[in-house]
Amino acid sequence: AQTVTQSQPEMSVQEAETVTLSCTYDTSESDYYLFWYKQPPSRQMILVIRQEAYKQQNATENRFSVNFQKAAKSFSLKISDSQLGDAAMYFCAYRRGGASEKLVFGKGTKLTVNP
Amino acid sequence: ETGVTQSPTHLIKTRGQQVTLRCSSQSGHNTVSWYQQALGQGPQFIFQYYREEENGRGNFPPRFSGLQFPNYSSELNVNALELDDSALYLCASSLAGWGGEQYFGPGTRLTVT
C-alpha cells in the first residue's frame, strides 16, 4: 500500500522569507502523481501544485515550487516570499496513475507565517 | 463555472442515528470521491463514484454507503452512527482520465454525540 509521510507537524516562517515543507512517500508504482494541497481555516482543500512522476523537471507555480527526488521518493514544497495568507495546513498527497484513482494524504504540516 | 458544493455545512447527530451528506460536483466533472478527515489528520478515502457506480472503496465498513445521480451529484450515507464518525467529510470531483485533478468542496462537519 502506498503511504505518505510528512515529518514536520508544524513549521513557522517570517513574512517574505522562504520555507520548505518535507514529504516522503512509498510506492512500487512507476506511474503516479504527487500533489500539495493547502487547507486554510475555512477548511476548503485547495490544490497548490502537482507533479507527474514521469517528468524530471520540478513543477513551479508562482511562489511555490517543488523539489522532486524520484529515487529518494521525496517531494518537498518550497514557498518563497511567504505571505500571511500562506498560513494554513499543507498536505502532501499521492495518486497512482490511471483513470480515477484515490488520493493518499499525509498527516499535514501546519504552517504559521509571522509578520 | 460552478465549484464543488456540499450540504449541510454542519450537523449534529446522536449515536445510532443515520445521516445523509450531499455533494454537487464541479461543472463538467463526472467522478466524485468522498474523504473523511478526523481532527488533526489528513483526509482518508472512503469511496469513489463514476457513472453512478462505486469505483473503488477505502477501509470503511458497509454502513458507509453512497449514491451518484445522473447529474453527477452524490450522497454519502452513514448508518448506525458512532462517536468516531465525528469528522469533516470532504467531497471531491474530477473528470475521469489519467491524472485527473480532484477539486474539493468546503466539507461537512459532522458531530456525533
Side-chain angles (χ1 to χ4, degrees), chain B:
Chain B
E1 185 177 271
T2 305
V4 180
T5 61
Q6 292 186 243
S7 62
T9 304
H10 300 89
L11 76 166
I12 300 173
K13 291 287 188 177
T14 302
R15 189 171 50 184
Q17 287 187 317
Q18 178 266 342
V19 68
T20 298
L21 311 182
R22 295 178 175 84
C23 171
S24 292
S25 60
Q26 183 167 311
S27 176
H29 287 179
N30 55 15
T31 302
V32 173
S33 303
W34 286 92
Y35 295 84
Q36 181 196 65
Q37 186 178 17
L39 197 62
Q41 301 294 317
Q44 297 289 317
F45 175 73
I46 302 174
F47 45 55
Q48 183 181 88
Y49 277 83
Y50 170 63
R51 291 186 175 179
E52 303 177 54
E53 297 283 337
E54 189 177 290
N55 181 42
R57 187 179 185 92
N59 189 26
F60 281 81
R63 58 189 186 84
F64 285 78
S65 63
L67 285 172
Q68 186 180 33
F69 301 98
N71 66 354
Y72 304 125
S73 65
S74 177
E75 286 182 355
L76 164 65
N77 300 289
V78 186
N79 294 320
L81 284 167
E82 300 177 359
L83 295 179
D84 284 348
D85 295 334
S86 295
L88 179 67
Y89 288 85
L90 296 167
C91 163
S93 76
S94 57
L95 182 61
W98 290 78
E101 294 175 1
Q102 296 189 15
Y103 293 86
F104 285 82
T108 294
R109 172 74 66 190
L110 172 65
T111 301
V112 182
T113 61

Side-chain angles (χ1 to χ4, degrees), chain A residues 31 33 35 37 39 42-47 50 89 91 95 97-108, chain B residues 9-10 31 35 37 40-43 45 48 55 88 90 96-102 104-109:
Chain A
D31 181 23
Y33 303 84
F35 305 87
Y37 280 88
Q39 188 178 42
S42 65
R43 308 180 326 200
Q44 184 136 16
M45 199 76 76
I46 302 164
L47 178 64
R50 64 177 268 167
M89 285 292 294
F91 292 94
R95 178 187 181 279
S100 303
E101 291 287 340
K102 67 179 182 182
L103 289 168
V104 177
F105 286 88
K107 290 189 174 182
Chain B
T9 304
H10 300 89
T31 302
Y35 295 84
Q37 186 178 17
Q41 301 294 317
F45 175 73
Q48 183 181 88
N55 181 42
L88 179 67
L90 296 167
W98 290 78
E101 294 175 1
Q102 296 189 15
F104 285 82
T108 294
R109 172 74 66 190

Side-chain angles (χ1 to χ4, degrees), chain A residues 2-98:
Chain A
Q2 296 86 9
T3 58
V4 176
T5 302
Q6 293 180 249
S7 59
Q8 306 154 316
E10 296 187 29
M11 292 283 286
S12 64
V13 63
Q14 292 297 124
E15 197 174 2
E17 296 294 308
T18 296
V19 65
T20 299
L21 309 184
S22 301
C23 171
T24 59
Y25 59 95
D26 186 26
T27 184
S28 58
E29 304 286 339
S30 58
D31 181 23
Y32 54 89
Y33 303 84
L34 296 165
F35 305 87
W36 279 97
Y37 280 88
K38 169 185 177 182
Q39 188 178 42
S42 65
R43 308 180 326 200
Q44 184 136 16
M45 199 76 76
I46 302 164
L47 178 64
V48 175
I49 199 165
R50 64 177 268 167
Q51 175 79 44
E52 292 87 344
Y54 64 85
K55 289 187 177 179
Q56 292 186 337
Q57 186 173 5
N58 289 325
T60 299
E61 288 288 342
N62 300 315
R63 298 182 295 106
F64 299 88
S65 61
V66 299
N67 183 4
F68 174 46
Q69 301 289 325
K70 191 171 183 177
K73 296 181 180 175
S74 170
F75 182 61
S76 60
L77 174 70
K78 185 172 82 171
I79 306 174
S80 304
D81 186 24
S82 297
Q83 300 175 0
L84 294 177
D86 294 334
M89 285 292 294
Y90 285 82
F91 292 94
C92 178
Y94 165 98
R95 178 187 181 279
R96 194 173 64 179

